[in-house]
């Protein structure tokens, strides 16, 4: 009865915990830079920096024991005029990266469901 609630890190574990997220973000950021639709928006991005931010953010989002210290999503994407098609392109690049890392479809969908609400802060153009 007095047991403290266990943090639910099932999704984090399914993603392979920290090493799994690091490997995934390496593939993801490389895919973003190479993407014909949105690659240009990441041309000045330092891959190692963005990967680190994304590892921490996805760790938190999936219930892992991390702290995300980057900008909130609204501030991070302010002035970028990101539209829905660009947002969807990023999601596709993430799906391709998750496939490449052999992440099960159900796990993929759970992660995407937790990222989806961020569209409100990221998309600022039509
Ligand atoms: C669910 C969707 C998204 C998530 C979770 C996400 C996450 C992040 C994170 C964590 C950062 C780092 C913030 C910081 O440095 O403090 C970032 C930066 C950035 N994001 Fe996003 N983002 C998303 C969508 C997008 C989209 C759709 C685009 C453009 C097509 C985009 C372009 C960028 C760019 C250009 C940066 C700056 C990278 C740099 O040069 O340091 N993001 N994003």
């Amino acid at each position: 009865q007095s047991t403290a609630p266990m943090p639910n890190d099932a999704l984090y574990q399914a993603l392979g915990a920290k090493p799994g997220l690091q490997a995934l973000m390496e593939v993801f950021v490389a895919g973003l830079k190479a993407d014909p639709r949105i690659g240009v928006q990441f041309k000045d991005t330092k891959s190692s920096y963005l990967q680190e931010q994304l590892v921490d953010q996805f760790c938190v989002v999936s219930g892992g024991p991390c702290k995300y210290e980057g900008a909130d999503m609204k501030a991070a994407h302010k002035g970028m005029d990101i539209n829905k098609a660009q947002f969807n392109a990023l999601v596709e690049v993430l799906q391709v990266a998750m496939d490449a890392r052999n992440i099960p479809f159900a796990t993929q969908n759970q992660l995407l469901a937790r990222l989806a609400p961020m569209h409100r802060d990221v998309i600022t153009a039509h």
Side-chain angles (χ1 to χ4, degrees):
Q1 260 100 26
S2 62
T3 312
M6 290 287 290
N8 185 352
D9 68 348
L11 180 55
Y12 173 70
Q13 297 301 341
L15 289 164
K18 201 72 174 265
L21 283 174
Q22 279 162 341
L24 176 61
M25 290 308 124
E26 204 174 313
V27 178
F28 179 41
V29 171
L32 287 174
K33 280 195 165 264
D35 190 85
R37 299 161 295 182
I38 56 173
V40 64
Q41 299 185 66
F42 294 93
K43 68 174 174 9
D44 297 328
T45 294
K46 195 177 158 217
S47 295
S48 57
Y49 170 77
L50 184 59
Q51 280 166 221
E52 281 165 26
Q53 297 308 315
L54 288 168
V55 166
D56 285 345
Q57 184 194 39
F58 281 40
C59 173
V60 172
V61 161
S62 62
C66 304
K67 199 165 151 45
Y68 170 66
E69 315 213 58
D72 67 75
M73 290 298 91
K74 201 167 200 149
H77 302 95
K78 195 174 173 216
M80 290 186 193
D81 288 334
I82 294 169
N83 63 31
K84 197 171 172 205
Q86 293 167 331
F87 185 90
N88 290 340
L90 175 136
V91 171
E92 266 179 49
V93 172
L94 178 56
Q95 286 173 312
V96 168
M98 290 192 290
D99 278 340
R101 294 290 310 154
N102 291 313
I103 294 171
F105 190 60
T107 302
Q108 295 191 18
N109 283 340
Q110 285 168 32
L111 178 62
L112 293 175
R114 294 190 193 187
L115 299 177
M118 296 178 186
H119 75 88
R120 288 187 202 89
D121 290 330
V122 172
I123 298 175
T124 52
H126 298 278

